[in-house]
Amino acid sequence: SVAQEASENPSDKKIAAEMVVGQYYGTATPGYINYYIAFSDKGMSSYEPALGVNYWNVPNAYYYILALMCDMEHTPANDKFNVPDGVYSLASGGLYNSINSDTSWLQYNDEAGWATSQNQIAFATSTLTVEGTKLTLVADMFVGERLETHTVTYEGDYELVDMTSISY
């Protein structure tokens, strides 16, 4: 006979992000407007907007990292390069108004502030809703065998780095 271990109910987590940071890449992928943003519960150890540099090494911090692909009509409405209002859903490959599943995940750091591939959890599903300066991410992910739903909210000013004007 086989005994099956009881599964637990999904776990829900609600997180108020301390900050949203990221970059605006313009049309780095032809035909799309590209953004790379991160919600953080504890912030960055250093952030240098002029260089487009984010340091993700705060101990015990969570970073919800999203690569967004928008259609060409969703160009930024201001010089802060905020993400345009809308709903963005997880997709593979590159669909308009989507979160790229290949380059988006939850990263959490250990006590020394480092993340390894074991500290990166892929989203099973995720939806980002942007309404002005209010951003809400709802993401389902498997932490081990357990399904968790994380609702991450941020409301306030944020400014993305214009990577189209930075030369390397």
Side-chain angles (χ1 to χ4, degrees):
S1 67
V2 176
Q4 182 174 343
E5 184 177 326
S7 64
E8 298 180 31
N9 289 329
S11 174
D12 293 334
K13 296 184 185 277
K14 298 198 182 309
I15 296 121
E18 180 180 304
M19 66 187 312
V20 169
V21 297
Q23 296 93 12
Y24 166 73
Y25 285 97
T27 56
T29 305
Y32 295 92
I33 301 292
N34 296 260
Y35 295 87
Y36 190 70
I37 66 169
F39 291 83
S40 175
D41 67 334
K42 294 187 178 176
M44 309 304 249
S45 59
S46 179
Y47 182 55
E48 299 176 40
L51 301 175
V53 177
N54 302 320
Y55 295 101
W56 313 81
N57 54 352
V58 174
N60 302 310
Y62 281 70
Y63 299 100
Y64 295 84
I65 300 168
L66 306 173
L68 303 175
M69 302 181 84
C70 304
D71 62 47
M72 297 298 287
E73 294 177 14
H74 284 87
T75 55
N78 57 41
D79 61 356
K80 292 183 179 185
F81 299 98
N82 296 129
V83 177
D85 286 358
V87 177
Y88 305 85
S89 298
L90 190 68
S92 178
L95 300 172
Y96 287 129
N97 303 331
S98 68
I99 301 167
N100 187 332
S101 62
D102 300 327
T103 52
S104 302
W105 57 78
L106 166 62
Q107 170 183 308
Y108 63 95
N109 292 353
D110 62 19
E111 290 162 3
W114 296 104
T116 63
S117 60
Q118 291 85 13
N119 298 36
Q120 294 178 342
I121 301 171
F123 300 133
T125 65
S126 62
T127 302
L128 173 67
T129 303
V130 179
E131 301 168 299
T133 59
K134 181 178 181 185
L135 292 87
T136 304
L137 172 68
V138 178
D140 293 324
M141 63 202 80
F142 285 95
V143 180
E145 298 294 318
R146 179 188 201 142
L147 178 65
E148 292 188 359
T149 299
H150 293 210
T151 302
V152 185
T153 57
Y154 176 83
E155 189 163 4
D157 248 357
Y158 70 98
E159 185 171 343
L160 303 180
V161 176
D162 179 7
M163 297 301 288
T164 63
S165 64
I166 294 176
S167 58
Y168 298 94

